[in-house]
Amino acid sequence: MRPSGRHFLQIPGPTNTPDRVLRAMSAPTIDHRGPEFAALTRELLDALKPVFGTTGPVVVYPASGTGAWEAALVNTLSPGDRVLCFETGHFATLWQEMARRLGLRVDLVPGDWRHGVDPDEVAARLRADGAGLVKAVLVVHNETSTGVTSRVAEVRRAIDAAGHPALLLVDTISSLGSIDYRHDEWGVDVTVAGSQKGLMLPPGLSFNAVSDKALRAAETARSVRSFWDWRPVLEANARGLFPYTPATNLLYGLRESLRMLAEEGLSTVYARHLRHAAATRSAVRAWGLEVLCADEREHSASLTAVLMPDGHDADRLRAVILERYDMSLGAGLGRLAGRVFRIGHLGAFNDLMLAGTLAGVQLGLVAAGVPVKGSGIDAALERLQQP
Ligand code: PLP
């Protein structure tokens, strides 16, 4: 049976693409070497900067976020370099695996997938590296698999306190455009981002915001790179071009989504995400379920991962919700498979969409026979009555 009404896409990305963005992308593709395209490139490269909190360059790739991870590593590092990584969840694990495959030596700090990067551990590890062998610290700002946000500003302070020259590389794939982020102020060297979450676009674009220090590192880094090399992109961008055929229609969408973020105002966007996350946690607690994130300072504003009670399978719950209520929720990834489900509350989203989402979860919990203590919807609506 084909469901009526609109599907609820409440995975933590790809997020709901606003109609404005869809319409913008449906315009005819233009000559990517012509003057109209050059004007588009220049507008976009300027409009991206405030979202990253940078005055420096942002490199745009026609690739998913994984490509931008690789770009961050191969532009700044050489085979054999040591990098410090933290096992904060599934995506942090994948990034350090990629680093190993690229010939980097990874110092991995184990984690319980319920906490972010511990700034004290960063300071301790770097203090112990008097010879400066660690060339980069890799942090996933918002772990999409766990709903935990690492405190990047504190990580920066820890690196500085240790007086260590390591580069700071940060993945903001599920935080950029949803959670306050400051590339320049926090002294981040490469910020990795993707199109399909806070930027409200379909998948297919990814980004590296790049510091001066990272640009200098790129001059001496010996990792093999061609497509991912920042230098030809930056040279072409200066003329409003790309060194290959760009994803023109996604760039139309990006122009529209950046306009939408500017119209709402970034601080309003961040406050909206914080409020929806708080209302979601109110619902989870009223149901008598547990939020996976174990540190009050680290709750993600863009998604909430919910632990299932013992004996109940998260994937079965998600299947019931999809079948009966036509809503997609995020699966537990890696070692959390079957144990958590994830509610995405990021991107183009509002109070009533959240209320509908949480209603779908509550109906699904009951339908799947998962014991609930009380009405999460009532708790969430009460929270939503506040600013
Ligand atoms: N990093 C994080 C935090 C993510 O959430 C994702 C995807 O969801 C990735 C990296 C990988 O990005 P992509 O799937 O766009 O390649």
Side-chain angles (χ1 to χ4, degrees):
M1 191 181 65
R2 207 184 143 66
S4 73
R6 202 155 181 163
H7 177 70
F8 269 65
L9 181 66
Q10 294 318 136
I11 58 175
T15 59
N16 295 287
T17 309
D19 293 347
R20 260 177 79 171
V21 172
L22 290 172
R23 275 197 297 274
M25 289 191 308
S26 70
T29 306
I30 54 172
D31 172 11
H32 59 286
R33 300 188 198 283
E36 191 183 342
F37 186 85
L40 170 67
T41 304
R42 294 203 172 91
E43 180 183 339
L44 283 178
L45 295 178
D46 279 347
L48 277 166
K49 291 177 196 273
V51 182
F52 284 86
T54 188
T55 55
V58 180
V59 177
V60 184
Y61 293 108
S64 87
T66 303
W69 265 351
E70 180 160 339
L73 298 177
V74 296
N75 277 287
T76 56
L77 299 163
S78 303
D81 279 354
R82 273 174 59 192
V83 294
L84 179 60
C85 298
F86 293 80
E87 190 207 353
T88 51
H90 181 68
F91 291 103
T93 301
L94 292 180
W95 201 11
Q96 64 86 27
E97 281 170 4
M98 172 189 274
R100 286 180 205 273
R101 284 196 296 273
L102 292 169
L104 303 171
R105 284 189 292 160
V106 174
D107 296 343
L108 182 65
V109 179
D112 67 356
W113 293 39
R114 300 190 72 173
H115 292 84
V117 172
D118 178 358
D120 293 338
E121 185 71 30
V122 175
R125 295 273 178 156
L126 295 183
R127 280 205 177 98
D129 177 39
L133 295 178
V134 173
K135 298 299 178 203
V137 178
L138 275 55
V139 174
V140 174
H141 182 214
N142 187 68
E143 236 313 336
T144 323
S145 61
T146 63
V148 175
T149 306
S150 284
R151 290 163 280 143
V152 175
E154 289 181 41
V155 171
R156 172 78 262 163
R157 282 199 288 276
I159 298 173
D160 292 345
H164 198 285
L167 296 163
L168 176 58
L169 313 184
V170 180
D171 169 339
T172 64
I173 288 177
S174 61
S175 55
L176 192 91
S178 301
I179 300 175
D180 189 11
Y181 185 77
R182 304 165 188 222
H183 176 92
D184 288 359
E185 189 182 319
W186 296 345
V188 179
D189 293 297
V190 185
T191 297
V192 174
S195 56
Q196 72 271 27
K197 304 197 191 242
L199 292 179
M200 306 176 284
L201 293 165
L205 291 179
S206 56
F207 309 88
N208 277 179
V210 182
S211 74
D212 287 343
K213 187 171 159 186
L215 283 174
R216 284 196 300 276
E219 293 304 321
T220 52
R222 282 177 287 99
S223 292
V224 173
R225 58 198 191 273
S226 171
F227 178 76
W228 302 117
D229 197 334
W230 292 332
R231 290 164 298 184
V233 183
L234 293 173
E235 276 165 36
N237 282 176
R239 289 172 285 124
L241 301 173
F242 285 83
Y244 45 72
T245 312
T248 309
N249 291 56
L250 278 170
L251 297 176
Y252 292 156
L254 179 61
R255 172 164 57 187
E256 199 62 25
S257 71
L258 292 172
R259 284 178 184 163
M260 289 175 71
L261 289 173
E263 284 164 20
E264 186 174 352
L266 282 174
S267 56
T268 313
V269 171
Y270 301 148
R272 165 166 62 78
H273 282 79
L274 284 168
R275 190 165 155 275
H276 287 158
T280 303
R281 291 196 298 278
S282 302
V284 173
R285 287 173 186 141
W287 288 322
L289 299 178
E290 198 182 342
V291 172
L292 182 67
C293 175
D295 186 328
E296 277 303 317
R297 296 168 300 177
E298 296 179 336
H299 283 303
S300 169
S302 60
L303 77 134
T304 303
V306 184
L307 269 167
M308 291 296 280
D310 285 344
H312 292 273
D313 179 23
D315 290 339
R316 179 164 174 270
L317 171 70
R318 291 189 315 106
V320 168
I321 291 173
L322 179 62
E323 167 74 22
R324 294 212 188 181
Y325 305 110
D326 195 25
M327 176 163 73
S328 297
L329 295 172
L333 297 174
R335 67 152 93 145
L336 295 171
R339 292 182 50 215
V340 306
F341 64 93
R342 296 171 301 142
I343 305 171
H345 33 72
L346 72 165
F349 203 55
N350 61 32
D351 286 11
L352 295 190
M353 292 165 85
L354 179 65
T357 299
L358 296 175
V361 176
Q362 183 161 315
L363 289 165
L365 287 166
V366 173
V370 180
V372 290
K373 239 176 44 190
S375 170
I377 303 172
D378 287 353
L381 293 185
E382 201 169 307
R383 177 63 187 83
L384 289 176
Q385 280 159 19
Q386 299 158 36

